[in-house]
Amino acid sequence: MTRIFSGIKPTGHLTLGNYLGALRRWVEVDQHQADALFSVVDLHALTMGHDPARVRRLSRQASTLMLAAGLDPERCTVFVQSHVDEHARLSYLLECTATDGELRRMIQYKEKSARARAAGQSVRVSLLTYPVLMAADILAYGADEVPVGDDQAQHVELTRDLAVRFNQRYGHTFTVPKATHPPVAARLMDLQDPTSKMGKSHESGAGIVYLLDDADMVRKKIMRAVTDSGREVEYDRESKPGIANLLEILASCGGGNPNELAGVYESYGALKKDTAEAVVELLRPVRERHAELAADPGHVDGVLRKGAERARGMARPRVDAAYRAIGLLPA
């Protein structure tokens, strides 16, 4: 059976983009068709300045939402990254395989380090090296496929390069994975700035639909979404990014086609109203199930503990093999 690995970083509250671009596919497809591992990758939340209590709180919330969305611990492995030491163990070996130049070419490093310097902040080494940790997340489990959004494709390519390089230098140790992308809504955009990704750590939440927003808040945000000049409803990402974003959201909620949906509407208002109602109904069961799980934190803790044990059992033999291959004495 194909093995897949994917994760969510607890740097903010999970969004509609996280759900449509990743979570829903994990629930409806991946956990049924593959040996699937899904992780809250909390170590990745430490690359910038952070509040420790907030990271813990968001890690628990993300774990609970993953289960609320429908991930079944009997079908897949759900765990927290820092609970499995093999991620950090393998990361250092891969740092010894990666080069400074290829890490500095990572788009997210360029963007985030530039913003940090502009704000007068220092840039942590972990911001440069975290793509190597991401590679370790994937390679430790022998994953064949990595479901990611468009913005993470570069990191999967780095993972492939490191796997091939390690195998060539030290003997075949790692599976070389490939990135897979959902067909629609791989990259939902901010409702107030449709040229920017709907990111969970954005300073303003006005253009972001969070999974735990109540129905009235969802409607308010979508009805206030920025649209484009003109009155015709057309699916054109270049000339009408606001309308295209709404059409993609609506299509993703109902399984339709953005181009075909564009021909149904004669006004922006009608499109917004239907999109808002579709999102409200899509998220209603997730919010309700989250409330139930949040009231029983012991159950969530048990799922994460068992998931970490299972993940550790899968990762340790491969990481131990990598330690031997690279020349380290066995303990």
Side-chain angles (χ1 to χ4, degrees):
M1 179 179 278
T2 298
R3 178 170 289 176
I4 67 171
F5 175 93
S6 197
I8 286 180
K9 185 165 59 174
T11 51
H13 302 288
L14 298 191
T15 72
L16 178 65
N18 296 128
Y19 183 77
L20 292 177
L23 266 176
R24 188 172 65 172
R25 179 180 173 84
W26 297 356
V27 169
E28 296 179 355
V29 179
D30 294 333
Q31 71 172 338
H32 300 284
Q33 296 184 0
D35 180 8
L37 298 101
F38 302 113
S39 180
V40 176
V41 287
D42 53 345
L43 295 175
H44 292 293
L46 311 183
T47 60
M48 305 287 284
H50 64 279
D51 173 10
R54 185 171 187 266
V55 171
R56 283 191 292 271
R57 185 170 63 253
L58 290 175
S59 295
R60 173 171 290 283
Q61 184 186 92
S63 302
T64 306
L65 277 168
M66 287 162 66
L67 298 175
L71 288 182
D72 181 354
E74 298 300 318
R75 291 183 175 273
C76 64
T77 304
V78 180
F79 68 104
V80 175
Q81 177 194 34
S82 63
H83 294 176
V84 180
D85 294 344
E86 278 64 32
H87 293 254
R89 288 181 62 208
L90 181 55
S91 183
Y92 183 71
L93 299 194
L94 296 179
E95 284 184 18
C96 296
T97 307
T99 67
D100 173 79
E102 62 191 346
L103 295 184
R104 292 187 185 279
R105 287 195 295 272
M106 295 290 106
I107 294 171
Q108 292 201 22
Y109 172 74
K110 290 181 179 180
E111 294 176 348
K112 291 182 179 180
S113 61
R115 287 199 296 269
R117 293 189 183 98
Q121 301 170 350
S122 59
V123 179
R124 300 184 184 190
V125 173
S126 55
L127 183 62
L128 177 66
T129 61
Y130 91 88
V132 179
L133 176 58
M134 183 181 294
D137 298 337
I138 298 164
L139 298 180
Y141 299 101
D144 303 288
E145 297 180 359
V146 189
V148 292
D150 294 340
D151 58 327
Q152 295 296 328
Q154 187 184 33
H155 291 153
V156 179
E157 284 305 309
L158 174 68
T159 301
R160 290 171 54 84
D161 291 343
L162 294 180
V164 169
R165 191 177 305 156
F166 192 100
N167 289 345
Q168 289 175 341
R169 289 178 180 176
Y170 308 115
H172 185 78
T173 307
F174 299 118
T175 299
V176 180
K178 66 177 182 179
T180 58
H181 306 279
V184 180
R187 191 176 172 85
L188 291 191
M189 313 306 280
D190 191 288
L191 295 169
Q192 291 298 313
D193 179 10
T195 62
S196 299
K197 180 186 174 183
M198 187 183 285
K200 55 184 177 293
S201 54
H202 198 283
E203 292 182 5
S204 170
I208 304 169
V209 175
Y210 296 106
L211 297 189
L212 295 180
D213 281 344
D214 62 34
D216 288 341
M217 180 59 70
V218 171
R219 293 186 183 99
K220 180 179 179 180
K221 288 180 176 179
I222 294 178
M223 293 306 294
R224 292 183 177 180
V226 168
T227 50
D228 312 291
S229 59
R231 295 183 178 181
E232 292 186 358
V233 178
E234 298 175 336
Y235 181 62
D236 187 330
R237 271 248 172 238
E238 295 299 321
S239 64
K240 293 200 170 188
I243 292 301
N245 193 38
L246 290 171
L247 287 167
E248 285 204 355
I249 293 172
L250 181 58
S252 295
C253 288
N257 179 285
N259 273 306
E260 294 175 358
L261 286 171
V264 173
Y265 293 94
E266 296 182 354
S267 71
Y268 292 174
L271 172 61
K272 286 183 175 182
K273 183 178 179 181
D274 282 1
T275 301
E277 292 308 315
V279 172
V280 166
E281 291 308 311
L282 180 76
L283 298 185
R284 189 188 306 280
V286 177
R287 290 204 325 274
E288 291 174 351
R289 179 59 178 153
H290 175 270
E292 295 173 1
L293 290 168
D296 186 9
H299 172 72
V300 176
D301 287 343
V303 169
L304 296 178
R305 184 167 53 252
K306 290 179 181 178
E309 290 172 359
R310 190 186 306 163
R312 198 175 300 118
M314 285 188 270
R316 183 166 293 171
R318 187 170 287 99
V319 175
D320 286 349
Y323 268 59
R324 292 192 300 270
I326 207 169
L328 301 178
L329 283 173

